[in-house]
Amino acid sequence: MTFKQNRAIVIGGGITGLAAGYRLLREADNRNIPLTLTLLEARNRVGGVIQTEQREGFIIEHGPDAFISTKPWAKALSEELGLTEKFIGTNPKVRQSFVVRKGRLLPVPEGFYMMAPGSFLPFIKSPIFSLAGKLRIALDLFISSRSDMTDESVADFVRRRLGKEAFERMAQPMIGGIYTSDAENLSLKATFPRFIEMEREHGSIIKALIAQKRKSSQTSRDTSGPRYSLFLSFRDGMQTLVDTLAENLSKNIHLQSHVKHVKQKQSNIKHDWCWQVHLDNGEMLEAEILCIALPAPKASILLSDVLPQLSDKLNTISYSSSATVNLAFRREDISHPLNGMGFVVPITEQRNLIGCSFSSVKFENRAPSDYVLLRAFVGENTYYIKGKDKPDSDELTSILHKDLSELLGISAEPIFSVISQHTQAMAQYQVEHQKRVREIDKLAKELPGLALTGNAYHGIGIPDCIHSSEQAAMRLLDAIS
């Protein structure tokens, strides 16, 4: 018996495209579907924002430095790839985080989660909030649940339930550190649906957090802010995952392959279609199934001639830019004890930082003995950058060093600094984002053999991107089965 050889093309070699290509080949083999795969990446390397550099005994992350394990897909894929023994968790001895208040680093109260307290005594003792602010936050216990189920912004939700101080001094910097986004426009449904469930089920965010703490064995008494015990990385950095996927796909990856546009060719036979992918060099590739693992605006450009309505909808998803700056110091040149994972900075502090991670404290062996590695973050909405031209590398390092010196007591210039610019890399889940994505999914279904995947749709984290790519691979194989 002769089987038809099916062809698949994945456009984009970030973590989403790599995971999609890997899953396509593995699942096709499981289903006995003959499949050839071509993965096209415009740059000269795969991995997208995930990139690890080793320099002078330091392990430097240009992009994400960890992933959360409660969303199982990144951990499961890593285990499938044989990377279990390379996992490392965050430092169990230091589990607190800080928020900047009037130029000082104050510890996030034990049990405080994003915007509300799950323990009363640490919250009452905390100097982060004024007495009036604490009383307003406590009113959450008595405010009625919202009956209108339309989407609202994260900012509106926090102010409605917990007040202005809860938003400005805690929720905004915490959420800004995750999404590098303006919480005034950030969709609650798309980013923090759990808080909607808390309000609906318990009538109060505080009551819900207290109930959750009683049930959960994962929340220890020495933990504040994010649940750091749930974050995983790799001994040699996050690029371990990228390199392993790339090794599995080494025969399928084509670097510096710039896609100009795509077309769909159909015949009169039901379910018979073919995708044509045109490259800048004039080459044209064909495949039965096509996975576009690119930011939504770039996918929009490729599909503009195929289905203009879909292209227009994709273009409604906006993106923001950010920068990560790694700075190395001698430990003796920093007076702060660095007794935490890092800190976040409210916009009201008028600093140039979104936050800073103490990388060599957060994970072991990220810096030589007696040295410190810091990772500072800048976004479009930070005080210095907003509304101004992008600073050059020296200027950016200088303004961040000034802020860090004031906040951490740094008395010397960095030994070196490494700047990573992430231009239009973070999808912005604005209010009604889920409605937008439903419309995009509906239109995409009109194009047989096509799947769209990436951080534009159902989650921005590494586990979300992997899950999105694996679901896309399954749908594409179903289409040709």
Side-chain angles (χ1 to χ4, degrees), residues 109-126:
E110 177 195 327
F112 206 101
Y113 181 64
M114 288 293 178
M115 61 183 72
S119 300
F120 279 111
L121 189 57
F123 163 64
I124 292 169
K125 291 182 176 180
S126 174

Side-chain angles (χ1 to χ4, degrees), residues 69 208 415:
S69 61
I415 299 167

Side-chain angles (χ1 to χ4, degrees), residues 214-230:
R214 287 172 181 164
K215 293 179 181 179
S216 175
S217 60
Q218 294 176 323
T219 304
S220 62
R221 292 187 60 83
D222 61 349
T223 302
S224 72
R227 293 171 293 171
Y228 284 109
S229 61
L230 305 180

Side-chain angles (χ1 to χ4, degrees), residues 50-165:
I50 299 177
Q51 184 178 6
T52 306
E53 176 185 347
Q54 300 201 18
R55 174 175 173 176
E56 301 174 26
F58 294 84
I59 296 179
I60 298 163
E61 296 286 12
H62 291 255
D65 67 349
F67 61 87
I68 193 164
S69 61
T70 50
K71 294 182 176 183
W73 308 292
K75 185 172 184 285
L77 176 61
S78 299
E79 291 170 342
E80 183 179 337
L81 292 166
L83 299 176
T84 305
E85 293 184 358
K86 297 184 179 183
F87 282 145
I88 59 170
T90 53
N91 185 349
K93 298 177 182 177
V94 186
R95 286 279 167 83
Q96 69 176 345
S97 59
F98 302 93
V99 62
V100 176
R101 175 67 185 151
K102 293 184 177 180
R104 296 170 54 217
L105 268 62
L106 302 178
V108 176
E110 177 195 327
F112 206 101
Y113 181 64
M114 288 293 178
M115 61 183 72
S119 300
F120 279 111
L121 189 57
F123 163 64
I124 292 169
K125 291 182 176 180
S126 174
I128 294 174
F129 306 103
S130 68
L131 176 59
K134 291 173 183 176
L135 291 172
R136 175 60 186 87
I137 290 171
L139 280 178
D140 169 74
L141 294 165
F142 309 102
I143 294 173
S144 300
S145 300
R146 180 172 176 253
S147 57
D148 182 1
M149 297 312 295
T150 58
D151 199 7
E152 66 180 321
S153 73
V154 172
D156 286 343
F157 175 82
V158 179
R159 284 193 291 257
R160 175 171 62 81
R161 292 225 56 97
L162 300 153
K164 182 180 178 181
E165 274 193 25

Side-chain angles (χ1 to χ4, degrees), residues 31 55 60 93 123 151 155-156 167 187 196 202 218 263 275 278 285 336 360 366 383-384 388 395 418 427 456 471 479:
R31 299 187 189 189
R55 174 175 173 176
I60 298 163
K93 298 177 182 177
F123 163 64
D151 199 7
D156 286 343
F167 174 70
S187 163
I196 299 174
H202 296 270
Q218 294 176 323
K263 293 182 179 179
W275 284 96
H278 296 260
L285 306 176
H336 192 278
S360 53
R366 287 314 195 237
Y383 176 66
Y384 179 86
K388 299 191 177 186
E395 185 181 12
V418 178
Q471 288 184 314

